[in-house]
């Protein structure tokens, strides 16, 4: 084992991992957990008992007998306890409840006017979470896992919130967001804590996407970078299997890295030629309008690209190159196993193709030899899934 492997190794068989093995169906008994973790049966039993006492695991009667006493099966409760999640975007929010394994119970998309300010926007989204929790009656998902029928419907265990702007991790405050007038300095966690009495975790939307995508598709890979390219642009970094936030929470924020662009368009931050001013969805809308093309929003831009419009396609290629240039620096520096792009621009083929080409052109061969470059599996629930995992990790770690 190298020194680099040590942090990941230390997690092996930790409560979080035991919970995840049961949640994913990899383990249904203490014996399975012992085999997967390499831990002694008594250590596994101790940890399982603790998880059961916290309501994070339950026993569901007898498994199949192999001659001796029938073993009790373990399951993640599907009936009562849920985690609330809000993935706030510039124009829409995805709101959901998820079970303690990170599976979506209910979710819906709501239109949002971010300029209405934090109290109004968050107030109505919290009301939506409460409505979903109230509606989350215990359900026996497939009959196989017994629902905890006696439990009150939808016991909320925590709330995870993704914000489309920089979030100071220690405090949950929003710091200088570029397209969120009235939100600067707002303490999201404190505002929500005054309304729901559960642990609340606030992070930026790119981090939530990174965590959701990593846990869903690539949890076996230790080093990954996820780009979120939508109205804005950002990234989330997974290092040694964990979300890497840096000292303040701004790790992965590539929006104001400078790219080669002539002329360099002005950016909302006061500089010019930032990635966000060249390659974000908002930048594409602005650039097309300046070329005299009538387009109202990012949906319109994507439609033009899909229709093969030459102005829109050229801009998408330029955006892909710009993202590729910044990513090449990141890949050379960080040496990830996978780079995945998500967000609404990820479906733009010309953008993806030029991003990929630039990456191969600018990266060290050793860095790209086995590098996976792909799309984040298109799911509108990836953000709320990441939010739920943040909360679940927090709840498990706190006990
Ligand atoms: Zn900028």
């Amino acid at each position: 084992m190298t020194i680099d492997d040590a942090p990941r190794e230390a997690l092996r068989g930790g409560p979080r991992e035991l919970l995840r093995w049961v949640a994913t169906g990899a383990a249904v008994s203490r014996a399975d957990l012992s085999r997967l973790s390499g831990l002694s049966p008594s250590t596994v039993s101790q940890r399982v008992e603790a998880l059961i006492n916290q309501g994070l695991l339950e026993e569901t009667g007898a498994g199949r007998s192999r001659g001796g006493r029938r073993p009790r099966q373990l399951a993640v409760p599907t009936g009562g306890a849920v985690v609330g999640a809000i993935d706030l975007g510039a124009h829409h929010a995805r709101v959901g409840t998820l079970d303690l394994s990170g599976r979506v119970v209910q979710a819906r998309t709501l239109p949002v006017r971010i300029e209405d300010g934090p109290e109004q926007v968050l107030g109505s989204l919290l009301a939506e979470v409460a409505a979903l929790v109230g509606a989350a009656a215990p359900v026996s998902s497939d009959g196989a896992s017994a629902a905890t029928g006696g439990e009150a419907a939808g016991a909320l265990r925590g709330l995870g919130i993704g914000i489309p702007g920089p979030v100071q991790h220690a405090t949950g405050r929003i710091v200088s967001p570029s397209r969120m007038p009235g939100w600067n300095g707002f303490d999201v966690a404190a505002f929500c804590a005054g309304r729901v009495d559960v642990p609340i975790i606030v992070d930026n939307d790119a981090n939530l996407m990174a965590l959701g995508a990593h846990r869903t598709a690539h949890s076996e890979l230790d080093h990954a970078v996820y780009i979120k390219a939508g109205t804005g642009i950002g990234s989330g970094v997974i290092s040694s299997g964990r979300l890497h936030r840096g000292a303040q929470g701004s790790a992965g924020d590539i929006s104001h890295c400078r790219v080669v662009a002539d002329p360099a368009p002005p950016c909302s931050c006061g500089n010019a030629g930032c990635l966000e001013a060249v390659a974000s969805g908002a930048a594409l809308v602005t650039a097309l309008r300046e070329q005299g093309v009538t387009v109202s929003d990012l949906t319109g831009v994507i439609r033009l690209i899909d229709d093969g419009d030459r102005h829109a396609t050229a801009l998408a290629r330029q955006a892909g190159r710009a993202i590729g240039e910044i990513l090449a620096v990141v890949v050379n520096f960080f040496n990830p196993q996978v780079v995945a792009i998500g967000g609404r621009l990820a479906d733009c083929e010309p953008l993806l193709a030029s991003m990929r080409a630039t990456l191969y052109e600018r990266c060290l061969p050793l860095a790209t030899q086995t590098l996976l470059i792909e799309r984040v599996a298109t799911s509108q629930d990836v953000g709320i899934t990441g939010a739920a995992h943040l909360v679940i990790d927090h709840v498990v770690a706190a006990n």
Side-chain angles (χ1 to χ4, degrees), residues 134-177:
V139 187
S140 176
S141 56
D142 52 8
S145 52
T148 49
E151 205 168 310
L156 189 67
R157 294 296 295 260
L159 177 63
I161 304 174
I163 301 289
V167 174
Q168 187 178 41
H169 181 63
T171 60
R173 266 179 206 280
I174 299 174
V175 183
S176 306

Side-chain angles (χ1 to χ4, degrees), residues 216-277:
T216 311
H218 283 309
S219 60
E220 79 288 1
L221 299 181
D222 281 348
H223 310 295
V225 175
Y226 294 90
I227 311 294
K228 183 167 185 187
T231 304
I233 194 158
S235 81
V237 179
I238 302 288
S239 176
S240 299
R242 291 163 176 247
L243 196 54
H244 175 77
R245 295 195 179 84
Q248 289 284 333
S250 71
D253 193 341
I254 52 174
S255 39
H256 302 288
C257 292
R258 191 181 171 88
V259 292
V260 177
D262 186 28
C267 180
S268 57
C269 72
N271 287 324
C274 297
L275 183 63
E276 180 170 298

